[in-house]
Amino acid sequence: MNAWCNSTANCPNALSAGAVTKIALHDTDAHRDAPQWRCYDPSTLDAAHDKYASGANYCTRNSQLTALLEQCDPPPPTPPPPPTPAPPPLPSATAVFEAGLAGIACFRIPSIVQTHTGALLAFAEARHASCSDGAVWQIASRRSTDGGATWGAVTFAVGNSSFYVGNPSAVHTRSGKTVLVFVKHSPGCVGDCGVGNGVVVSVDDGVTFGAVDDVSADFGPASGSLPGPGIVMQSLTGRLLVASHHSAYVHDFVSYSDDDGGSWATINQTFPKMDEATMAQLPNGSIALNMRHQAAKALGRGVAISHDDGATFGPIRFDAALESPVCQASLVAFGGVTYFSNPASTGGRDHTTVRCSADSGATWSGARLIEPRASAGYSCLVAGELLSGLAGRGGILFESANSTIAFAAFELGSDAAHCLDV
C-alpha cells in the first residue's frame, strides 16, 4: 500500500521538501474528520509514523486503498456446507409368511392387530399351488408375544378347500374380541368375484377362532364385496367400520357394526371409481376413508371425511402429498398422530414407507422408509404403540421382496410434532 501511495500518478504533490516516502494509514485529517485511508507525508505523522499529528501534506484515497487492501487480504472462502446426514438405517424386518411355510405356495394380503395383552396377530391369504388371486382358499394366522421378534406356528383362522375366503380385515375390540371380516369366493374364482361375507371371532387372544358367522345379508348392497384389506376400525363410540369394494374401480362401500361384529349394516352412500380402502378415526375426531383409485399417480390418494361416526361422508378429494403407484395402503391414528403406509412412488411398487401427520392428515411431516426394493406393495400398520418389546415403537406387516410378508418395528417420534424421529 505504501508503494501505491508513492506513485505520483496516485498521489501527486503531497510531499514536503526532502521527503522520501509516503505512508498509507487509516486515520483522520486536518479537519478531524472520520478516519479514512490516506497517503500521508511523514511530516504529518507522530514520531512512530503510525498516527496522524498535524499538517496538510496528505491525499485521501479511501476507496482506492480499500480496494487494494481487499486484494491483498481477501475474505476467507465460504466453508463448504456440512455433509448431508446419512438416512437412518432400515428397521430390522422379520419374515412372518414366506413361500413353502405350512405347505402354502404363496402368501399375500397382510393384516395385523394387537390385543390388550400386547400379542400381535398377523393374517394373510394362503394361496395354494400359485400366487394368483384365484388360488386363495384360507386366511392364515401367526401370533407373536414379544413385539414381533418371533412368531408362533401357522394356523388357519378360516377357510378350506371347499370354503374359499380372502381379503382379511381385522380388529381387536375394546371388549377383548378379535373380529376377522372376510369375503367368500367361489372355487376357481379369479379377481373380484365374491359371493358373500363372513366373520370369525376369537375370544382367547387370537389363539383360536370360532365358527363362521355369515353376514352376507347384513352387508346388503355390499354383499360379496372385498373388505379392506387390512384393518377394521373401531371408533370412539365403539362402532366397527370397514370399507369394501366389489369389482375393480366401480365403487366402495362402508359397512358398520354397533355390537362388536355381531350384526352389520351398510351406509346409504357409495364412493364411485374407488377401490381398496382403509379407515381411521383421526386425532380431531373425524373419520377418514382413504382409497385407491386409477388416477392416484397424478392426483394422490382419494380421501373422504365423516363427522358423524361414519354414517355419512363428505365428497371425495385427493391428497397429492400421498403419492402412489396405484396400490393398497394402510391408515391408523394413535397418540395424537396419524400414520399412513404404502409404496411411496409413482414409478412402481417400491419404497414402502410410513408417513406421519401431526394435524389429522392436513399435512404429512415425517417419513420412514421400510422396504426400498420392489414388492407386491401391500401393508398393514398396527393401530397403536407396541405393548411388547422395546418401548416407543410402532409396527408394520408388509409385503417384502422375494414374495415374503415381513414385520418391522419402527421408532415413533418424541411428540406429535416430531412424529417419526429416529
Side-chain angles (χ1 to χ4, degrees), residues 57-72:
N57 287 334
Y58 56 79
C59 60
T60 301
R61 297 291 186 268
N62 190 65
S63 61
Q64 298 93 327
L65 289 171
T66 297
L68 186 62
L69 180 64
E70 290 176 350
Q71 295 175 28
C72 296

Side-chain angles (χ1 to χ4, degrees), residues 19-404:
V20 176
T21 185
K22 300 184 186 84
I23 297 173
L25 285 177
H26 189 260
D27 210 335
T28 187
D29 60 6
H31 303 289
R32 301 300 169 183
D33 290 333
Q36 296 190 64
W37 281 104
R38 297 178 170 91
C39 298
Y40 292 93
D41 185 284
S43 65
T44 62
L45 304 177
D46 62 7
H49 288 178
D50 62 5
K51 187 175 182 181
Y52 172 75
S54 63
N57 287 334
Y58 56 79
C59 60
T60 301
R61 297 291 186 268
N62 190 65
S63 61
Q64 298 93 327
L65 289 171
T66 297
L68 186 62
L69 180 64
E70 290 176 350
Q71 295 175 28
C72 296
D73 188 18
T78 303
T84 302
L90 295 176
S92 178
T94 301
V96 181
F97 298 105
E98 51 192 335
L101 187 66
I104 303 301
C106 175
F107 294 92
R108 279 216 60 204
I109 320 299
S111 173
I112 190 168
V113 297
Q114 178 172 234
T115 73
H116 292 164
T117 68
L120 295 172
L121 307 179
F123 303 96
E125 289 186 351
R127 299 186 173 189
H128 295 256
S130 76
C131 215
S132 73
D133 288 346
V136 56
W137 297 355
Q138 299 163 294
I139 294 176
S141 178
R142 295 189 76 182
R143 189 169 178 270
S144 173
T145 57
D146 56 9
T150 62
W151 295 83
V154 174
T155 61
F156 297 95
V158 64
N160 55 50
S161 59
S162 60
F163 186 72
Y164 282 29
V165 297
N167 271 64
S169 294
V171 62
H172 187 73
T173 70
R174 297 189 191 101
S175 68
K177 295 179 180 179
T178 301
V179 178
L180 177 64
V181 181
F182 55 89
V183 65
K184 298 190 298 179
H185 288 298
S186 297
C189 163
V190 177
D192 295 350
C193 47
V195 295
N197 296 90
V199 169
V200 289
V201 175
S202 172
V203 294
D204 58 5
D205 214 42
V207 176
T208 62
F209 283 83
V212 172
D213 180 12
D214 190 325
V215 296
S216 304
D218 288 2
F219 267 46
S223 179
S225 61
L226 281 62
I231 288 177
V232 176
M233 65 152 287
Q234 185 169 32
S235 75
L236 294 174
T237 67
R239 171 172 285 184
L240 306 185
L241 291 138
V242 63
S244 60
H245 71 281
H246 205 321
S247 298
Y249 308 108
V250 176
H251 49 238
D252 282 1
F253 302 96
V254 171
S255 302
Y256 66 92
S257 171
D258 289 325
D259 56 5
D260 255 10
S263 61
W264 294 80
T266 297
I267 70 170
N268 187 29
Q269 182 178 358
T270 58
F271 304 86
K273 299 182 180 180
M274 299 292 111
D275 204 80
E276 294 166 325
T278 179
M279 302 177 72
Q281 184 148 35
L282 305 179
N284 64 12
S286 64
I287 292 174
L289 174 62
N290 187 295
M291 297 165 283
R292 170 179 174 169
H293 61 100
Q294 288 180 301
K297 289 183 180 181
L299 301 178
R301 296 280 296 184
V303 179
I305 301 295
S306 172
H307 298 285
D308 56 8
D309 209 30
T312 61
F313 286 80
I316 297 170
R317 62 177 179 83
F318 299 98
D319 190 340
L322 298 180
E323 60 181 344
S324 171
V326 184
C327 187
Q328 180 266 4
S330 182
L331 184 75
V332 299
F334 57 90
V337 177
T338 307
Y339 298 91
F340 174 87
S341 67
N342 80 327
S345 168
T346 57
R349 293 186 182 184
D350 50 52
H351 290 82
T352 297
T353 299
V354 178
R355 282 173 273 195
C356 65
S357 171
D359 53 13
S360 294
T363 60
W364 298 91
S365 56
R368 184 69 192 271
L369 180 63
I370 302 296
E371 170 60 278
R373 300 170 295 176
S375 71
Y378 284 41
S379 62
C380 187
L381 291 161
V382 178
E385 181 178 337
L386 298 184
L387 302 177
S388 299
L390 295 176
R393 292 175 179 255
I396 180 172
L397 188 68
F398 64 100
E399 293 184 322
S400 182
N402 305 318
S403 301
T404 296

